[in-house]
Amino acid sequence: MTDTEPIRVLHVDSDDDLLEVVAAHLEFEAPALDVEGVTDPETALDRIDDGSIDCVVSDYRPTGIDGLDLLERVRERDPGMPFVLYTSHGSEEIASEAISAGVTEYMQKETGTDQYAVLANTIANAVEHARTEAALEESEQRYRTLVEQSHDGIFIYQHGTFEFVNERLCEITGYAESELLGMDVFELIHPEDRDRVRRISQKRQSGDGYPSRYEARVVTADGETRALSLNVHSITYDGEPAEMGSVRDITDRYRSDERLEEFASVVAHDLRNPLNVLAGRLDLARETGDDVHFDAIERSIDTMEVLLEDMRDLARAGLPVRDPAVVDVADTARAGRESVDAELDLTLADGLPTVEADGDRLEDVFTECFENVAVHTDGESVRVEPADGGFAIEDDGPGIPEGERGRVFEAGYTTDPDRTGFGLAIVEWIGDAHGWSVTAEASSSGGTRIVVTDVE
């Protein structure tokens, strides 16, 4: 380092002649040294304030100030600045005092020129050490900043408990850092995934080459289940084996996969009947030539067209929301009502919020809810009103039996054989795409109240 990177040395001493001699010898012994001599400690402090000094070499008694007082003032400006006390006022007492004060090195002035090689080497070593410490601190700070600002949760666990967690992991799990540190890792893992994750961890620690990437579910502090993608490796931490990993929240993708599976199941189930009718009626038409079979074929085609149209709406409902905008709930509810070709009175309560949403899909929420009232019930009116954390749609129909309220959001669930049963499933899928919660409960009049919450 010293052969290529200059070391700027400030030498403070009351003797001008000595300053010249020391500078000449130090620069001869180590060409990387650039030595500047000053007799005034205040001037020295000004030079340090300029930020261009790497090391201070000072006599014990420079003009107007004690060398250790100068050290203290230098440390106030730069705690890591190497400071070499180079003095002819040597004694064990001064040496002890200097070390206690935090001097980097202590050297006594001697006669002859051999001392300058030692002093040059002392300065170079002190500066190299200080630069290494500063670089290490900067590197650690950069690493910590990277870890703390990472979009992924990052952790270290050892002997079954967390030893380090970053802020993102706290956000994902809902636990504070103080709660996670020392927690049994498997307390977080969903009970159905614990044995599998434990086996993965044991195989990795035993060196069996088990894949480091896998997926598992966790249960958050508020009891929510979230799906995570984990990438975990064995490391040494504080001299002992440990595991370091990163986790990414893939709950949305996990739910999308579940939705896709549900969607495929509904498609296969609901298209099977009209396809069977088509195939059967077509065979009968070929055999008998009776036109009545063509009427049944036409009805089956109409059924399939309705199914495919509703399935398109259902698939669109679950797409991620890419560009939300500020949407007025009252205005969107009015637009949803205009899309329903049925007699239905709409009342809008005061205080309906504006929300960040895909406006077209929020309109679909109201359209599906209103159509559900108009088509499936004897209800004649709906009311949209504010709810805690969102809004609610309330009707005056016969309501949904308590035991059926959870099922009404299942794709394909319907009590009307002429309907696909996708309406309220579309409402829930749109809610999920926005991160909202959608539930069904009884209204004040005994009808149905669809409540949309967690709305921002």
Side-chain angles (χ1 to χ4, degrees), residues 54 75 78-82 104 130:
D54 296 308
R75 288 280 185 262
D78 186 347
M81 173 77 71
T104 307

Side-chain angles (χ1 to χ4, degrees), residues 90-125:
S91 68
E92 291 184 5
E93 182 180 352
I94 292 176
S96 176
E97 186 180 0
I99 293 171
S100 298
V103 73
T104 307
E105 295 290 346
Y106 171 82
M107 283 187 60
Q108 282 190 324
K109 295 177 183 177
E110 300 177 356
T111 58
T113 58
D114 291 344
Q115 61 180 314
Y116 299 123
V118 176
L119 180 57
N121 188 57
T122 297
I123 294 169
N125 287 341

Side-chain angles (χ1 to χ4, degrees), residues 185-199 216-220 223-226:
V185 173
F186 292 97
E187 287 183 22
L188 277 179
I189 304 297
H190 191 284
E192 294 178 7
D193 292 350
R194 281 177 190 164
D195 288 343
R196 177 174 60 88
V197 174
R198 201 183 299 273
R199 287 195 300 272
R217 292 167 295 171
V218 297
V219 180
T220 65
E224 181 184 6
T225 296
R226 303 201 68 80

